[in-house]
Every structure is written in C-alpha cells, then in structure tokens.
C-alpha cells in the first residue's frame, strides 16, 4: 500500500515549479498511482536451489483501480549475459481491491547458471503496466571451486596466494531475506570487489530451510565475486551457561561447517560479540574461563569437520562488568586468530 512520499527541490523561483525537471518525477509517480495495478515482492521461494529441484517463482498482484481487471503476469528468466532461459505466463483476474499471489515453476537443470536473473511483468490489454526485477542462485560446484583460496600465514591472511593487509565490509543485504534480495546482494558484492575488497562478513543463520537457502546464496555469490565469506551463523550475543547448551552450540557449529566444507573462501565466526550472562557472569575469572571453554569447544567442533578452517569469534572490548563478561585476549588463546570489534576511536 502506498504510504506517500516527499521530495525536496532547490533552485526553484516563484511559481514556475512544474517547469523544472520536477515534472519528470512527479507526473510519472502520480500516473502510476492512478493506474492502480501493481506487482510486489517478486522473486523465488528460496534464494538458492540445487540441480534437480524446482524453482518456485512468485509475485503478488494487486488491483486498486476500483474495477475488476484481467491481464497476464509474465516471468522471464535470463542468464548473466541476458540470454533467455524461459518465459512463463499466467493469466490473472483481480477483483477491485484484491491482492493475489501468482506462481510459476521452473525445473533447475544441470546446465542452469549459478545466477539467474528474473523479470516479472504485468500486462493489461497488451501493454506492460508494471515490472519488477530480482534473481536467484543455483548451487554450482564449479562456481564454488572458483572462490578465493584463504589461509593464515603467521599474523596475516593469504588470499589467492597474496599476503597483505586486507579490507572488507559487513554485508547487510543478505542477512535477512526481508532486508534484501539476491539481486541486491550480487550488486553489493560486485561493488565491494570493484572497490578492492576481498572480505565480507554476514549474520547468516542456518537453522531453518529458508535461512539455509539464503546463507547458500550469500556464500555462493561471495565465491562468484572473489570474496572471502566470514560467516557468522549466530548473531545473538549470549551463550548458554550449562553443559547442555554448550553441546548444542557445538553441534550447530559442526553442522554449519559440514554444509560449507568444500567452500574455499570461507572463514567461520562462531558467534557475534559473545558474552556470558547468568551463572558465569558473576565474576571476571569465572566468566572468562567459561568463555574460553565455549570458544575451544566450538572451534573443536568446526575442526572435526574441516581441520583447515580458520575459526574465530567477534568480541567486544574486554570485561564489560555487571551481568556480562568478555575477555578477548584470554578467550582467544586457542582460536586461529583474534577478532576485536572496536566501537571507539
């Protein structure tokens, strides 16, 4: 539903506003609102598929024109170069005020490209009245294998054999399905690489099927663009304070590592800014000891699946006191590298 908008224009004199370039923005916007037919949230059910699966394509068609409308929704799939892979059309009839989900399916073959561009259009009376763009990924072993090779060399990382100080950026577009799209994630990673970055970090849970598919998309696109994915599968800060919780976290970390065992440009961030709370937060000594035990157990779980994997966790500063304990130097002793998040100059 359109909620309204506002624009600011500078350099307008007197009452000659619509004689400026503003008319090129305002008139199409108003015409679109009066049209009353819209597509929204066009994409695929999952962000990443495997060969042999069926991609479910979807969009939501809305009719706010005030009268019933019949038309066609068209899903066009293209490869990276724009080559047409498939065109799927669905007839729709919308009552006044109605919004309906429109679906099409596409079998993912062995020859499907790793990145599939999706265009969704609504036609009415032979005229295209709305259009949206998105994409989805296909997990291809050749794309994964082409990713950057990363290893620790002393106090630095080597990426594709080169040892130096590396820069990167946190990625937010793919951390939650509703914060971004595969199309946006691909553009973000492309921009990172264009700016000389070789490293990206993301909060990417793998507990639900939807999370796993979004994580797969991010990992694959990172390899596609030559970025090391510093994968953080637990964005929450508080770790468990008993043995059962410790075992559960270790099993989860092992499952994440198993899923991405063969990804070359992959480094693991166990948990984001981990801290104790509750039983082990009563003193610095007890809290730091529990943090170190937690870090060691989770690292061992990852190493059991992939001995060569670089493992760390992103810490905040030292001991926070009160209900939270963090001691990066002590807890990081047995991790593969230290990761400290600095929030002050």
């Amino acid at each position: 539903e359109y909620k309204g908008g506002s624009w600011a224009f500078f350099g307008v004199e007197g009452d000659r506003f619509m004689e400026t370039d503003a008319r090129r923005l305002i008139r199409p916007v108003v015409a679109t609102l009066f049209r009353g037919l819209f597509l929204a949230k066009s994409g695929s059910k999952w962000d990443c598929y495997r060969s042999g699966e069926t991609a479910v394509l979807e969009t939501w068609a809305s009719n706010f024109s005030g009268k019933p409308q019949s038309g066609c929704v068209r899903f066009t799939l293209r490869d990276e170069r724009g080559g047409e892979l498939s065109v799927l059309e669905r007839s729709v009839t919308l009552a006044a005020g109605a919004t309906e989900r429109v679906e099409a399916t596409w079998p993912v073959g062995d020859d499907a490209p790793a990145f599939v561009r999706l265009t969704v259009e609504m036609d009415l009376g032979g005229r295209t009245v709305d259009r949206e763009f998105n994409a989805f990924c296909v997990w291809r072993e050749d794309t994964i294998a082409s990713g950057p090779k990363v290893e620790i060399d002393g106090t630095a990382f080597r990426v594709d054999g080169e040892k130096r100080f590396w820069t990167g950026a946190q990625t937010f577009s793919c951390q939650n399905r509703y914060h971004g799209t595969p199309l946006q994630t691909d553009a973000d990673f492309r921009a990172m690489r264009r700016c000389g970055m070789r490293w990206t970090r993301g909060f990417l849970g793998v507990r639900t099927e939807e999370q796993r598919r979004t994580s797969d998309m991010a990992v694959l696109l990172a390899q596609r663009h030559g970025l090391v994915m510093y994968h953080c599968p637990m964005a929450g800060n508080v770790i468990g304070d008993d043995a059962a919780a410790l075992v559960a976290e270790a099993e989860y970390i092992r499952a994440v590592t198993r899923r991405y065992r063969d990804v070359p440009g992959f480094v693991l961030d166990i948990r984001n800014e981990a801290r104790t709370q509750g039983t082990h937060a009563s003193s610095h000594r007890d809290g730091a000891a529990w943090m170190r035990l937690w870090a060691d157990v989770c690292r061992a779980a990852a190493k059991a699946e992939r001995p060569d994997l670089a493992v760390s966790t992103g810490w905040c500063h030292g001991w926070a006191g009160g209900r939270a304990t963090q001691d990066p130097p002590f807890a990081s002793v047995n991790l593969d590298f230290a990761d400290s998040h600095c929030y002050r100059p």
Side-chain angles (χ1 to χ4, degrees):
E1 182 181 350
Y2 183 72
K3 299 294 186 181
S6 60
W7 297 273
F9 295 89
F10 300 91
V12 179
E13 297 180 3
D15 59 356
R16 306 176 67 84
F17 178 68
M18 289 306 294
E19 295 181 18
T20 70
D21 287 342
R23 68 182 183 276
R24 293 195 297 174
L25 170 65
I26 294 177
R27 287 176 177 170
V29 169
V30 173
T32 299
L33 295 177
F34 279 116
R35 183 187 71 217
L37 292 169
F38 305 97
L39 296 174
K41 298 187 291 186
S42 300
S44 60
K45 180 180 179 181
W46 305 131
D47 289 335
C48 188
Y49 292 90
R50 295 303 206 269
S51 174
E53 295 182 330
T54 297
V56 178
L57 314 174
E58 57 190 6
T59 190
W60 276 257
S62 296
N63 176 17
F64 302 129
S65 69
K67 59 182 180 181
Q69 299 276 12
S70 295
C72 172
V73 172
R74 182 169 53 256
F75 299 84
T76 303
L77 306 179
R78 293 184 174 88
D79 62 22
E80 180 66 14
R81 293 184 173 86
E84 192 174 279
L85 301 172
S86 183
V87 179
L88 306 164
E89 295 186 342
R90 297 292 182 268
S91 298
V92 293
T93 298
L94 299 172
T99 295
E100 294 185 8
R101 180 176 178 271
V102 184
E103 177 185 302
T105 58
W106 183 66
V108 180
D110 292 339
D111 58 346
F115 188 69
V116 180
R117 293 186 177 273
L118 171 64
T119 303
V120 183
E121 298 168 304
M122 179 186 285
D123 284 2
L124 183 66
R127 181 172 60 94
T128 300
V129 296
D130 203 3
R131 181 183 292 115
E132 287 196 324
F133 301 97
N134 207 332
F136 61 87
C137 292
V138 177
W139 188 271
R140 292 188 57 94
E141 296 301 334
D142 54 351
T143 301
I144 294 299
S146 70
K149 312 304 184 288
V150 58
E151 59 183 338
I152 296 176
D153 185 351
T155 58
F157 280 96
R158 283 188 181 274
V159 178
D160 286 336
E162 184 180 1
K163 179 181 178 180
R164 64 176 179 84
F165 179 83
W166 300 101
T167 59
Q170 182 87 9
T171 177
F172 286 93
S173 61
C174 63
Q175 290 183 160
N176 184 306
R177 182 177 173 85
Y178 301 103
H179 288 172
T181 66
L183 188 64
Q184 181 181 349
T185 301
D186 184 76
D188 287 351
F189 286 177
R190 189 185 301 275
M192 288 181 195
R193 188 61 192 273
R194 189 169 59 246
C195 292
M197 298 181 185
R198 297 299 304 272
W199 198 280
T200 187
R201 176 177 181 261
F203 301 142
L204 298 161
V206 295
R207 298 188 187 278
T208 69
E209 189 61 26
E210 183 178 45
Q211 289 177 338
R212 286 189 283 272
R213 300 304 183 108
T214 298
S215 175
D216 289 352
M217 174 269 293
V219 170
L220 180 134
L221 289 180
Q223 306 311 294
R224 181 173 184 256
H225 292 292
L227 296 172
V228 175
M229 170 55 74
Y230 188 22
H231 192 285
C232 183
M234 293 191 283
N237 307 127
V238 181
I239 67 173
D241 61 357
D242 58 28
L246 198 62
V247 170
E249 291 206 10
E251 290 177 348
Y252 178 55
I253 289 300
R254 186 163 185 168
V256 174
T257 309
R258 186 183 307 119
R259 189 174 187 88
Y260 301 118
R261 179 188 294 158
D262 298 324
V263 179
F266 187 84
V267 175
L268 186 63
D269 181 354
I270 303 170
R271 180 184 282 277
N272 177 54
E273 299 179 356
R275 60 184 174 86
T276 56
Q277 184 170 301
T279 304
H280 298 283
S282 58
S283 72
H284 185 188
R285 176 173 296 180
D286 184 31
W290 185 254
M291 293 292 288
R292 182 164 170 175
L293 174 63
W294 167 82
D296 289 351
V297 168
C298 288
R299 177 183 180 273
K303 294 288 187 178
E305 290 292 333
R306 183 172 171 176
D308 68 324
L309 183 65
V311 181
S312 189
T313 192
W315 306 102
C316 274
H317 307 286
W319 184 42
R323 296 180 300 166
T325 301
Q326 298 155 325
D327 193 338
F330 183 79
S332 295
V333 166
N334 296 321
L335 294 175
D336 295 299
F337 62 98
D339 177 359
S340 182
H341 296 177
C342 300
Y343 288 99
R344 60 175 68 98

PDB file of all heavy atoms in Angstrom, residues 326-343:
ATOM      1  N   GLN A 326      33.340 -10.401  29.057  1.00  0.00           N
ATOM      2  CA  GLN A 326      34.029 -10.622  27.799  1.00  0.00           C
ATOM      3  C   GLN A 326      35.510 -10.358  28.025  1.00  0.00           C
ATOM      4  O   GLN A 326      35.880  -9.305  28.516  1.00  0.00           O
ATOM      5  CB  GLN A 326      33.490  -9.670  26.723  1.00  0.00           C
ATOM      6  CG  GLN A 326      32.011  -9.877  26.414  1.00  0.00           C
ATOM      7  CD  GLN A 326      31.375  -8.623  25.863  1.00  0.00           C
ATOM      8  OE1 GLN A 326      31.721  -7.519  26.257  1.00  0.00           O
ATOM      9  NE2 GLN A 326      30.439  -8.791  24.948  1.00  0.00           N
ATOM     10  N   ASP A 327      36.330 -11.306  27.660  1.00  0.00           N
ATOM     11  CA  ASP A 327      37.779 -11.153  27.822  1.00  0.00           C
ATOM     12  C   ASP A 327      38.453 -11.724  26.581  1.00  0.00           C
ATOM     13  O   ASP A 327      38.930 -12.847  26.575  1.00  0.00           O
ATOM     14  CB  ASP A 327      38.249 -11.892  29.080  1.00  0.00           C
ATOM     15  CG  ASP A 327      39.672 -11.504  29.468  1.00  0.00           C
ATOM     16  OD1 ASP A 327      40.410 -11.034  28.579  1.00  0.00           O
ATOM     17  OD2 ASP A 327      40.037 -11.657  30.633  1.00  0.00           O
ATOM     18  N   PRO A 328      38.470 -10.947  25.480  1.00  0.00           N
ATOM     19  CA  PRO A 328      39.002 -11.450  24.206  1.00  0.00           C
ATOM     20  C   PRO A 328      40.412 -12.025  24.276  1.00  0.00           C
ATOM     21  O   PRO A 328      40.650 -13.102  23.726  1.00  0.00           O
ATOM     22  CB  PRO A 328      38.932 -10.233  23.294  1.00  0.00           C
ATOM     23  CG  PRO A 328      37.831  -9.417  23.858  1.00  0.00           C
ATOM     24  CD  PRO A 328      37.924  -9.597  25.348  1.00  0.00           C
ATOM     25  N   PRO A 329      41.369 -11.358  24.921  1.00  0.00           N
ATOM     26  CA  PRO A 329      42.722 -11.921  24.916  1.00  0.00           C
ATOM     27  C   PRO A 329      42.790 -13.313  25.527  1.00  0.00           C
ATOM     28  O   PRO A 329      43.438 -14.212  24.985  1.00  0.00           O
ATOM     29  CB  PRO A 329      43.524 -10.896  25.739  1.00  0.00           C
ATOM     30  CG  PRO A 329      42.760  -9.626  25.598  1.00  0.00           C
ATOM     31  CD  PRO A 329      41.332 -10.029  25.579  1.00  0.00           C
ATOM     32  N   PHE A 330      42.107 -13.502  26.640  1.00  0.00           N
ATOM     33  CA  PHE A 330      42.137 -14.806  27.318  1.00  0.00           C
ATOM     34  C   PHE A 330      41.350 -15.852  26.540  1.00  0.00           C
ATOM     35  O   PHE A 330      41.806 -16.962  26.315  1.00  0.00           O
ATOM     36  CB  PHE A 330      41.573 -14.661  28.733  1.00  0.00           C
ATOM     37  CG  PHE A 330      41.634 -15.931  29.541  1.00  0.00           C
ATOM     38  CD1 PHE A 330      42.813 -16.329  30.136  1.00  0.00           C
ATOM     39  CD2 PHE A 330      40.508 -16.716  29.684  1.00  0.00           C
ATOM     40  CE1 PHE A 330      42.877 -17.507  30.883  1.00  0.00           C
ATOM     41  CE2 PHE A 330      40.548 -17.901  30.416  1.00  0.00           C
ATOM     42  CZ  PHE A 330      41.738 -18.289  31.022  1.00  0.00           C
ATOM     43  N   ALA A 331      40.145 -15.488  26.117  1.00  0.00           N
ATOM     44  CA  ALA A 331      39.271 -16.453  25.452  1.00  0.00           C
ATOM     45  C   ALA A 331      39.749 -16.800  24.047  1.00  0.00           C
ATOM     46  O   ALA A 331      39.366 -17.831  23.502  1.00  0.00           O
ATOM     47  CB  ALA A 331      37.846 -15.913  25.397  1.00  0.00           C
ATOM     48  N   SER A 332      40.567 -15.968  23.439  1.00  0.00           N
ATOM     49  CA  SER A 332      41.013 -16.193  22.058  1.00  0.00           C
ATOM     50  C   SER A 332      42.312 -16.976  21.958  1.00  0.00           C
ATOM     51  O   SER A 332      42.789 -17.217  20.850  1.00  0.00           O
ATOM     52  CB  SER A 332      41.202 -14.841  21.352  1.00  0.00           C
ATOM     53  OG  SER A 332      39.996 -14.161  21.229  1.00  0.00           O
ATOM     54  N   VAL A 333      42.862 -17.388  23.075  1.00  0.00           N
ATOM     55  CA  VAL A 333      44.176 -18.024  23.064  1.00  0.00           C
ATOM     56  C   VAL A 333      44.240 -19.196  22.086  1.00  0.00           C
ATOM     57  O   VAL A 333      45.220 -19.358  21.345  1.00  0.00           O
ATOM     58  CB  VAL A 333      44.554 -18.487  24.490  1.00  0.00           C
ATOM     59  CG1 VAL A 333      45.748 -19.438  24.444  1.00  0.00           C
ATOM     60  CG2 VAL A 333      44.875 -17.287  25.365  1.00  0.00           C
ATOM     61  N   ASN A 334      43.205 -20.023  22.048  1.00  0.00           N
ATOM     62  CA  ASN A 334      43.242 -21.217  21.207  1.00  0.00           C
ATOM     63  C   ASN A 334      42.480 -21.065  19.895  1.00  0.00           C
ATOM     64  O   ASN A 334      42.360 -22.035  19.142  1.00  0.00           O
ATOM     65  CB  ASN A 334      42.671 -22.409  21.994  1.00  0.00           C
ATOM     66  CG  ASN A 334      43.523 -22.743  23.198  1.00  0.00           C
ATOM     67  OD1 ASN A 334      44.755 -22.680  23.133  1.00  0.00           O
ATOM     68  ND2 ASN A 334      42.886 -23.070  24.301  1.00  0.00           N
ATOM     69  N   LEU A 335      41.965 -19.876  19.615  1.00  0.00           N
ATOM     70  CA  LEU A 335      41.335 -19.637  18.322  1.00  0.00           C
ATOM     71  C   LEU A 335      42.402 -19.392  17.263  1.00  0.00           C
ATOM     72  O   LEU A 335      43.566 -19.131  17.583  1.00  0.00           O
ATOM     73  CB  LEU A 335      40.373 -18.449  18.412  1.00  0.00           C
ATOM     74  CG  LEU A 335      39.148 -18.655  19.313  1.00  0.00           C
ATOM     75  CD1 LEU A 335      38.335 -17.361  19.408  1.00  0.00           C
ATOM     76  CD2 LEU A 335      38.267 -19.778  18.776  1.00  0.00           C
ATOM     77  N   ASP A 336      42.014 -19.441  16.005  1.00  0.00           N
ATOM     78  CA  ASP A 336      43.008 -19.323  14.935  1.00  0.00           C
ATOM     79  C   ASP A 336      43.472 -17.893  14.710  1.00  0.00           C
ATOM     80  O   ASP A 336      44.555 -17.667  14.177  1.00  0.00           O
ATOM     81  CB  ASP A 336      42.427 -19.892  13.634  1.00  0.00           C
ATOM     82  CG  ASP A 336      42.175 -21.389  13.749  1.00  0.00           C
ATOM     83  OD1 ASP A 336      43.145 -22.132  13.979  1.00  0.00           O
ATOM     84  OD2 ASP A 336      41.014 -21.807  13.633  1.00  0.00           O
ATOM     85  N   PHE A 337      42.641 -16.937  15.074  1.00  0.00           N
ATOM     86  CA  PHE A 337      43.031 -15.527  15.015  1.00  0.00           C
ATOM     87  C   PHE A 337      42.103 -14.757  15.936  1.00  0.00           C
ATOM     88  O   PHE A 337      41.025 -15.230  16.306  1.00  0.00           O
ATOM     89  CB  PHE A 337      42.968 -14.983  13.582  1.00  0.00           C
ATOM     90  CG  PHE A 337      41.599 -15.011  12.957  1.00  0.00           C
ATOM     91  CD1 PHE A 337      40.801 -13.874  12.940  1.00  0.00           C
ATOM     92  CD2 PHE A 337      41.110 -16.167  12.369  1.00  0.00           C
ATOM     93  CE1 PHE A 337      39.542 -13.896  12.360  1.00  0.00           C
ATOM     94  CE2 PHE A 337      39.856 -16.201  11.775  1.00  0.00           C
ATOM     95  CZ  PHE A 337      39.071 -15.062  11.774  1.00  0.00           C
ATOM     96  N   ALA A 338      42.532 -13.575  16.342  1.00  0.00           N
ATOM     97  CA  ALA A 338      41.719 -12.744  17.227  1.00  0.00           C
ATOM     98  C   ALA A 338      40.884 -11.771  16.406  1.00  0.00           C
ATOM     99  O   ALA A 338      41.334 -11.250  15.387  1.00  0.00           O
ATOM    100  CB  ALA A 338      42.611 -11.976  18.207  1.00  0.00           C
ATOM    101  N   ASP A 339      39.668 -11.523  16.872  1.00  0.00           N
ATOM    102  CA  ASP A 339      38.750 -10.631  16.178  1.00  0.00           C
ATOM    103  C   ASP A 339      38.128  -9.716  17.217  1.00  0.00           C
ATOM    104  O   ASP A 339      37.297 -10.136  18.018  1.00  0.00           O
ATOM    105  CB  ASP A 339      37.671 -11.453  15.465  1.00  0.00           C
ATOM    106  CG  ASP A 339      36.619 -10.589  14.783  1.00  0.00           C
ATOM    107  OD1 ASP A 339      36.708  -9.353  14.868  1.00  0.00           O
ATOM    108  OD2 ASP A 339      35.695 -11.159  14.178  1.00  0.00           O
ATOM    109  N   SER A 340      38.538  -8.451  17.224  1.00  0.00           N
ATOM    110  CA  SER A 340      38.029  -7.493  18.198  1.00  0.00           C
ATOM    111  C   SER A 340      37.233  -6.401  17.512  1.00  0.00           C
ATOM    112  O   SER A 340      37.679  -5.830  16.510  1.00  0.00           O
ATOM    113  CB  SER A 340      39.186  -6.848  18.976  1.00  0.00           C
ATOM    114  OG  SER A 340      38.709  -5.950  19.947  1.00  0.00           O
ATOM    115  N   HIS A 341      36.036  -6.141  18.012  1.00  0.00           N
ATOM    116  CA  HIS A 341      35.173  -5.099  17.454  1.00  0.00           C
ATOM    117  C   HIS A 341      35.382  -3.806  18.236  1.00  0.00           C
ATOM    118  O   HIS A 341      35.048  -3.736  19.428  1.00  0.00           O
ATOM    119  CB  HIS A 341      33.695  -5.522  17.540  1.00  0.00           C
ATOM    120  CG  HIS A 341      33.392  -6.729  16.725  1.00  0.00           C
ATOM    121  ND1 HIS A 341      32.150  -7.329  16.694  1.00  0.00           N
ATOM    122  CD2 HIS A 341      34.177  -7.491  15.898  1.00  0.00           C
ATOM    123  CE1 HIS A 341      32.166  -8.371  15.896  1.00  0.00           C
ATOM    124  NE2 HIS A 341      33.389  -8.493  15.409  1.00  0.00           N
ATOM    125  N   CYS A 342      35.898  -2.819  17.576  1.00  0.00           N
ATOM    126  CA  CYS A 342      36.224  -1.538  18.230  1.00  0.00           C
ATOM    127  C   CYS A 342      35.156  -0.510  17.929  1.00  0.00           C
ATOM    128  O   CYS A 342      34.963  -0.124  16.767  1.00  0.00           O
ATOM    129  CB  CYS A 342      37.600  -1.048  17.784  1.00  0.00           C
ATOM    130  SG  CYS A 342      38.948  -2.194  18.192  1.00  0.00           S
ATOM    131  N   TYR A 343      34.469  -0.054  18.962  1.00  0.00           N
ATOM    132  CA  TYR A 343      33.393   0.933  18.773  1.00  0.00           C
ATOM    133  C   TYR A 343      33.786   2.327  19.221  1.00  0.00           C
ATOM    134  O   TYR A 343      32.961   3.204  19.314  1.00  0.00           O
ATOM    135  CB  TYR A 343      32.161   0.485  19.577  1.00  0.00           C
ATOM    136  CG  TYR A 343      31.474  -0.712  18.975  1.00  0.00           C
ATOM    137  CD1 TYR A 343      31.713  -1.988  19.471  1.00  0.00           C
ATOM    138  CD2 TYR A 343      30.608  -0.575  17.899  1.00  0.00           C
ATOM    139  CE1 TYR A 343      31.086  -3.092  18.923  1.00  0.00           C
ATOM    140  CE2 TYR A 343      29.974  -1.662  17.336  1.00  0.00           C
ATOM    141  CZ  TYR A 343      30.216  -2.928  17.855  1.00  0.00           C
ATOM    142  OH  TYR A 343      29.596  -4.015  17.304  1.00  0.00           O
TER     143      TYR A 343
END
